[in-house]
Amino acid sequence: LYGGEVRLKRVNDPRNGARKAFQHAIATYFPTYQTNTKRSEITSLDNYLPGIVPRPGDQFWGWFAIDPDSAAQSTGDISVFDLHAGYPSNNGGPSPFSVILGSGKVSIARSWNTAYNAASSLSRVWYETAIEPNGWTIFFVQIRLHYDIAQGPFLRVWKKRGSSAIESVLNVSGPIGYNDPNPNAYPKFGAYTWGDGWSVNSPKCTIYHKGVQLFRDEAPGPGEPALGLQSLLATAEAL
């Protein structure tokens, strides 16, 4: 709570009152965290949890869904999901995989560093996709994490809006992750921005979130369905 306002709470889904969602709020007048950031996040523990926290060589499927208000749509640089580099490491600030909302689009960053525990020469590539207002957008992810291209790392992202078909957003092969003493890439989601860079006409931003689900990409057991877009979609649409 701050000034009677709740920064994170569990609420009815704004599009379907029979379901639930997380409501994340950040505002220019909220207190800052670590000098200049505003945050309303849920984060995993920063340690190795098999099936939850990827590390180099791991392959995962996952999904998350967001429904930002108009202020969050127009504001720049709000992180809504990332796989964050573990601590301690010199690469602990940037994330191997980040999803940033703002200015009517979603920006996706893939970062890596092959040098061991390096604080410089970080490589990063950005990709963009549009996001429509007033409704849920589901993002699906398949990722193989590794800083060494010889290990076959890749990142694939799809999105789905309402009754529309699933649309491919990104399909790229290449390094993603850091050669660090702590190789974990723990998930976190919500609303996180740095500085007070958004318009004073929109001092508060709200993002509804369905959370994040990650699944280790392994062969199914007897009678189990294979992981893929359709099985993830069925799970996402049930929540």
Side-chain angles (χ1 to χ4, degrees):
L1 279 171
Y2 177 73
E5 295 193 65
V6 178
R7 285 187 277 181
L8 171 61
K9 60 182 176 180
R10 190 76 163 155
V11 298
N12 289 334
D13 183 329
R15 311 297 168 183
N16 183 345
R19 296 180 178 177
K20 295 293 184 180
F22 294 105
Q23 178 181 296
H24 299 264
I26 55 176
T28 55
Y29 49 87
F30 285 175
T32 58
Y33 175 73
Q34 290 185 337
T35 306
N36 67 341
T37 67
K38 304 289 196 302
R39 306 188 186 209
S40 174
E41 292 183 305
I42 296 176
T43 180
S44 166
L45 295 174
D46 178 19
N47 54 25
Y48 186 49
L49 302 172
I52 298 175
V53 176
R55 55 171 47 185
D58 288 344
Q59 188 165 312
F60 274 72
W61 279 97
W63 71 269
F64 64 94
I66 57 172
D67 181 2
D69 68 3
S70 58
Q73 283 273 359
S74 60
T75 296
D77 297 339
I78 300 177
S79 174
V80 294
F81 169 73
D82 67 355
L83 294 178
H84 200 285
Y87 293 98
S89 79
N90 288 322
N91 279 314
S95 301
F97 173 42
S98 303
V99 181
I100 311 294
L101 171 71
S103 303
K105 64 181 184 296
V106 165
S107 299
I108 300 165
R110 172 177 65 98
S111 302
W112 68 95
N113 202 330
T114 61
Y116 181 72
N117 200 24
S120 60
S121 301
L122 176 75
S123 299
R124 178 180 292 164
V125 178
W126 290 90
Y127 312 89
E128 291 184 354
T129 185
I131 183 169
E132 298 177 41
N134 304 318
W136 287 104
T137 300
I138 307 172
F139 289 89
F140 305 96
V141 177
Q142 187 185 28
I143 184 172
R144 179 173 175 80
L145 198 74
H146 212 290
Y147 51 85
D148 182 0
I149 194 171
Q151 302 302 315
F154 64 83
L155 175 61
R156 298 167 186 156
V157 181
W158 299 261
K159 68 178 180 180
K160 187 180 190 303
R161 168 73 176 195
S163 60
S164 63
I166 297 175
E167 174 187 350
S168 177
V169 171
L170 177 63
N171 185 352
V172 61
S173 297
I176 176 170
Y178 308 132
N179 184 2
D180 276 353
N182 179 359
N184 301 327
Y186 63 94
K188 62 189 184 77
F189 69 92
Y192 158 45
T193 191
W194 40 99
D196 295 327
W198 66 76
S199 169
V200 294
N201 295 322
S202 303
K204 182 179 178 182
C205 301
T206 301
I207 298 174
Y208 295 95
H209 217 299
K210 284 291 185 177
V212 171
Q213 292 199 355
L214 293 177
F215 304 91
R216 186 175 294 276
D217 192 1
E218 297 178 342
E224 295 179 344
L227 280 171
L229 290 175
Q230 294 306 316
S231 56
L232 293 183
L233 177 60
T235 302
E237 291 187 333
L239 296 180

